[in-house]
């Protein structure tokens, strides 16, 4: 390793804490200590107010002003006992990260007295001057105000000495400017639609919540080396870097013992997360060197989303304390596994039933099949929209790259359930009632589902949307994503599907068909019409691409192609129909997605250009000059024959460097010209597409030559930390 890089690394490693103390040995003694949760509320509020707040949360309604004042004063009392001085509304704008603006509790009264103040108004609403957050044209400059409003369903929490209040973020005109607003609406839709369907099976079901358990993958790199890589600093990924002699081929990192330094980071992060009530349960090494994963116990989806956003934020903060930087980018290193964020999703009732878990008797299993088949049908009918929910510049590197699910959406349910669905299709007759025996047999078989699932060991890791025994696992989502983008889609499409199902079944019942029979018939119809989305084979294989095309499934390879679906007629009708988002809100979101993509690729293009010109080319030329000096020196001391014999290698190297320098120079210039042309385009869609189709392919061409130069130039003067240093040093 070059001396200068080695020194930087050594110093950051020697200053890194290795031992982290928890406030107590038992997690149960500090879990949730920084959260204004139900227990705290019960303690700090009167019985009456507490009951009203709980009811409001349960019903998903807005909170009465009178109650808000009481909650605010309870929050303030609790927070001030914990030395909190400031509060902030914590929200999730469409940048993908979280935003906050802190205000102090204090106020000066008319008679010049300083007091601590925090009332219902401040809790309920804030007006951050956030006019530079993305709005897709919704917030015109003449009315640039945006509001944040308290989300009582996600508890407030303390970080440092700030009380953070989860909020939605909307424009002055009431349109959503964040992830949370449409998420809450989608969750409420799926709640209502699922409760209605559950009535066929159990009248006690009054509420259905979507559940989410995410699995967060990430890389850790040393802070000193990170800082020496402008591409990592500015884009979150390495735009150059030759693959090291040893990559991940030995599979020796996966589930291996966690290196001491990384372990200390994880311990501290877990302690801080536990205090915030984030139920982090699992940590392990991932496939690539220096790649890891955290997974919590699943929670209600809105809370799980907030907890994931909070986790990503905490990861960044705590990594710095350990002289690490955390990489949440989907593909920080070429030729090394990328990072995803599996979203495990299910529906759960107030009666404690997981609707995607087979039950104990034929009746509850028919309910299970109903939710299973409706989910498959929803995915089938909306596969393009689902694809768009994971379309980002970073994730584009992963999808379809033989390490992550393809850019084609399909559903895996396993052999046994496939057999079950086949049986349903063959046994149930259209327009003709089942005989008593047929019905008994079918019910008997349905009753056997828990047994078959128990030994259903097939776990297809290549499917983007896999049923894993008691939940669906959506695997195509990128590691840096806000889970809401997927959760809004999945809960909306399932809500719509369940509504359609109810209407279809009710229609048959009206025509005189018995309830069970009607359910069977509709399920059969859906199983047939959604069959194409089911795929049990290898999702990474080329045969699947051909097969999917035959089946008429979409294969949207680029991010802009997928973003187009965000504004399709079908999408607009879906969200408008469910009142999750108006057409204007949906289209604004699409525009923001195009702009974000363009901006990110543009930044990458600039970084590539700058690094090539100011780091790579000067270094290559410097080394080439050394070689030329060497050759000239040899000429002075050697005879003509000796000279010829001893300079072959140098001349090959000099020529090689010239070739690659020329390539880098030419393509970089060409890229700059194209960028300038594209930047003048007005239409965000066209711009994004041209960045994807014209500019981005040049990245690989430039990189190829730069990576060749990396292998040729003296390591001592190479200006960027190399892959082996970034990936194998703790
Ligand atoms: P893996 O996918 O790595 O094999 P598991 O299947 O055990 O791991 O679980 C992965 C995640 O699925 C965990 O975060 C867990 O909390 C979550 N999970 C389990 N059950 C549910 C459920 N009913 N709803 C949502 N998420 C769930
Ligand atoms: Mg998983």
């Amino acid at each position: 390793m070059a001396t200068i890089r080695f020194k930087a690394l050594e110093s950051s490693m020697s200053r890194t804490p290795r031992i982290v103390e928890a406030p107590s040995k038992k997690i149960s003694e500090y879990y949730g200590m920084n959260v204004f949760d139900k227990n705290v509320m019960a303690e700090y509020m009167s019985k009456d107010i507490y009951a009203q707040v709980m009811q409001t949360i349960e019903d998903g309604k807005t909170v009465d002003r009178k109650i808000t004042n009481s909650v605010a004063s309870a929050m303030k009392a609790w927070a001030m006992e914990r030395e909190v001085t400031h509060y902030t509304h914590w929200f999730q704008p469409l940048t993908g990260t979280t935003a906050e603006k802190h205000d102090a509790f204090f106020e000066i009264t008319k008679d010049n007295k300083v007091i601590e103040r925090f009332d219902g108004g401040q809790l309920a609403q804030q007006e951050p001057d956030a006019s530079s957050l993305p709005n897709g044209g919704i917030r015109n400059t003449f009315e640039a105000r945006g509001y944040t409003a308290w989300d009582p369903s996600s508890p407030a929490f303390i970080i440092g000495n700030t009380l953070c209040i989860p909020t939605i973020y909307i424009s002055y005109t009431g349109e959503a400017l964040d992830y949370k607003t449409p998420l809450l609406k989608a969750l409420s839709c799926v709640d209502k639609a699922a409760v209605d369907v559950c009535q066929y099976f159990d009248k006690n079901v009054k509420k259905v919540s979507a559940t989410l358990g995410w699995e967060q993958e990430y890389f850790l790199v040393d802070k000193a080396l990170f800082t020496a890589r402008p591409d990592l600093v500015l884009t979150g990924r390495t735009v150059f870097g030759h693959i090291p002699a040893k990559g991940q081929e030995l599979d020796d990192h996966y589930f291996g013992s966690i290196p001491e330094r990384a372990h200390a980071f994880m311990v501290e992060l877990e302690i801080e997360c536990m205090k915030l009530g984030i139920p982090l349960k699992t940590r392990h090494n991932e496939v690539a060197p220096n790649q890891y994963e955290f997974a919590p116990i699943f929670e209600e989806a809105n809370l799980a989303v907030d907890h994931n956003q909070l986790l990503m934020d905490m990861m960044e903060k705590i990594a710095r304390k350990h002289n690490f930087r955390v990489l949440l980018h989907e593909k920080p290193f070429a030729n090394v596994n990328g990072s995803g964020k599996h979203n495990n999703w299910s529906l759960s009732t107030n009666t404690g039933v997981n609707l995607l878990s087979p039950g104990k008797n034929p009746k509850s299993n028919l309910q299970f099949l109903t939710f299973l088949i409706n989910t498959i049908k929803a995915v089938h009918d909306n596969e393009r929209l689902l694809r768009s929910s994971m379309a980002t510049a970073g994730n584009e590197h992963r999808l379809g790259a033989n390490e992550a699910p393809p850019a084609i959406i399909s559903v895996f349910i396993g052999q046994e359930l496939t057999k079950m669905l086949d049986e349903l299709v063959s046994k149930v007759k259209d327009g003709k009632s089942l005989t008593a025996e047929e019905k008994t047999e079918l019910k008997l078989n349905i009753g056997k589902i828990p047994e078959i699932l128990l030994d259903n060991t097939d776990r297809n890791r290549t499917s983007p949307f896999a049923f894993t025994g008691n939940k669906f696992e959506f695997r195509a989502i990128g590691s840096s994503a806000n889970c809401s983008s997927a959760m809004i889609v999945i809960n909306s499409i399932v809500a719509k599907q369940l509504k359609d199902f109810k209407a279809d079944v009710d229609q048959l019942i009206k025509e005189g068909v018995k309830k069970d029979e009607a359910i069977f018939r509709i399920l059969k119809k859906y199983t047939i019409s959604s069959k194409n989305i089911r795929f049990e084979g290898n999702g990474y294989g080329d045969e699947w691409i051909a097969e999917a095309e035959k089946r008429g499934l979409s294969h949207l390879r680029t991010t802009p192609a997928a973003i187009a679906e965000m504004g399709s007629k079908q999408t607009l009708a879906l969200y408008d129909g469910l009142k999750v988002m108006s057409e204007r809100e949906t289209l604004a979101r699409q525009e923001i997605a195009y702009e974000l993509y363009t901006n990110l690729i543009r930044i990458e293009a600039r970084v590539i250009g700058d690094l090539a010109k100011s780091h790579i080319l000067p270094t290559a030329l410097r080394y080439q000059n050394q070689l030329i000096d060497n050759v000239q020196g040899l000429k002075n001391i050697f005879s003509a024959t000796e000279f010829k014999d001893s300079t072959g290698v140098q001349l090959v190297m000099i020529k090689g460097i010239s070739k690659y320098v020329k390539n880098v120079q030419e393509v970089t210039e060409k890229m700059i010209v194209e960028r300038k042309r594209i930047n003048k385009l007005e239409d965000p869609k066209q711009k994004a597409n041209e960045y994807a189709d014209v500019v981005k392919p040049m990245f690989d061409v430039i990189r190829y030559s730069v990576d060749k130069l990396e292998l040729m130039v003296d390591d001592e003067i190479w200006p960027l930390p190399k892959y082996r240093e970034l990936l194998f040093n703790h």
Side-chain angles (χ1 to χ4, degrees), residues 400-679:
N402 282 332
E403 53 154 284
I408 305 166
I409 299 287
S410 64
V411 178
F412 168 87
I413 56 171
Q415 257 181 12
E416 297 298 336
L417 280 177
T418 303
K419 264 198 245 155
M420 186 72 238
L421 296 196
D422 289 347
E423 184 176 316
L424 184 78
V425 170
S426 68
K427 291 268 160 66
V428 177
K429 316 233 177 18
D430 295 311
K432 206 174 106 202
S433 295
L434 292 165
T435 64
E437 292 90 69
E438 283 170 335
K439 208 177 222 167
T440 312
E441 197 198 331
L442 192 61
K443 284 197 171 174
L444 207 67
N445 284 340
I446 290 177
K448 284 190 195 136
I449 292 176
E451 291 161 42
I452 59 176
L453 280 192
L454 225 49
D455 20 275
N456 179 5
T457 45
D458 44 350
R459 279 277 217 151
N460 184 327
R461 310 300 304 185
T462 65
S463 174
F465 202 84
F467 183 73
T468 48
N470 57 1
K471 61 190 186 288
F472 275 101
E473 187 167 339
F474 191 14
R475 302 211 183 97
I477 298 154
S479 48
S480 69
N482 182 317
C483 300
S484 299
S485 27
M487 285 298 117
I488 293 167
V489 174
I490 188 74
N491 290 295
S492 296
I493 63 178
V494 170
K496 158 91 169 47
Q497 180 54 48
L498 291 171
K499 279 169 88 163
D500 292 350
F501 172 77
K502 170 127 174 60
D504 287 347
V505 171
D506 284 353
Q507 179 60 34
L508 286 187
I509 294 174
K510 227 167 87 189
E511 289 166 15
V513 182
K514 284 230 172 69
K515 188 179 77 183
D516 277 7
E517 181 83 31
I519 292 173
F520 277 134
R521 282 197 208 167
I522 300 300
L523 289 182
K524 172 185 172 173
K525 193 173 121 192
Y526 288 176
T527 305
I528 295 170
S529 68
S530 64
K531 188 159 193 271
N532 268 347
I533 200 77
R534 282 194 276 132
F535 177 61
E536 303 287 308
N538 175 15
Y540 294 179
D542 284 339
E543 315 81 53
W544 171 229
I545 296 181
E547 162 74 13
E549 198 184 330
K550 258 197 255 155
R551 292 188 188 189
L553 299 177
S554 70
H555 188 190
L556 306 166
R557 288 169 200 264
T558 70
T559 293
I563 293 174
E565 283 311 309
M566 290 173 71
S568 71
K569 277 210 178 88
Q570 187 181 337
T571 307
L572 295 177
L574 169 82
Y575 286 141
D576 200 43
L578 292 170
K579 304 257 171 301
V580 168
M581 280 190 282
S582 69
E583 291 200 1
R584 198 163 112 101
E585 288 171 296
T586 309
L587 290 172
R589 226 152 267 254
Q590 182 188 36
E591 191 177 313
I592 292 167
Y594 280 132
E595 278 168 4
L596 190 62
Y597 180 82
T598 296
N599 282 333
L600 290 174
I601 303 295
R602 181 168 32 210
I603 292 169
E604 289 192 354
R606 281 197 207 119
V607 169
I608 289 172
D610 291 354
L611 277 183
K613 284 198 210 162
S614 65
H615 283 62
I616 308 300
L617 293 181
T619 309
L621 294 177
R622 204 165 112 203
Y623 184 58
Q624 195 184 36
N625 279 341
Q626 273 182 28
L627 293 171
I628 293 169
D629 285 351
N630 173 273
V631 171
Q632 269 167 351
L634 292 177
K635 197 172 187 175
N636 291 340
I637 56 168
F638 281 155
S639 71
T641 349
E642 278 171 336
F643 176 72
K644 209 165 156 241
D645 281 352
S646 58
T647 52
V649 182
Q650 288 92 320
L651 293 177
V652 170
M653 286 165 81
I654 291 169
K655 277 189 198 150
I657 291 176
S658 284
K659 182 174 109 187
Y660 293 121
V661 161
K662 181 166 170 272
N663 290 351
V664 172
Q665 165 71 21
E666 278 179 7
V667 185
T668 306
E669 285 308 321
K670 211 164 102 195
M671 185 173 80
I672 293 170
V673 172
E674 288 295 347
R675 242 170 55 208
K676 285 192 174 146
R677 176 184 66 78
I678 299 169
N679 286 344

Side-chain angles (χ1 to χ4, degrees), residues 277-298:
I278 306 173
L280 280 191
K281 171 102 177 141
T282 312
R283 58 163 109 108
H284 62 77
N285 290 3
E286 262 303 326
V287 178
N290 285 12
Q291 191 188 28
Y292 307 95
E293 179 184 298
F294 278 123
I297 297 170
F298 69 93

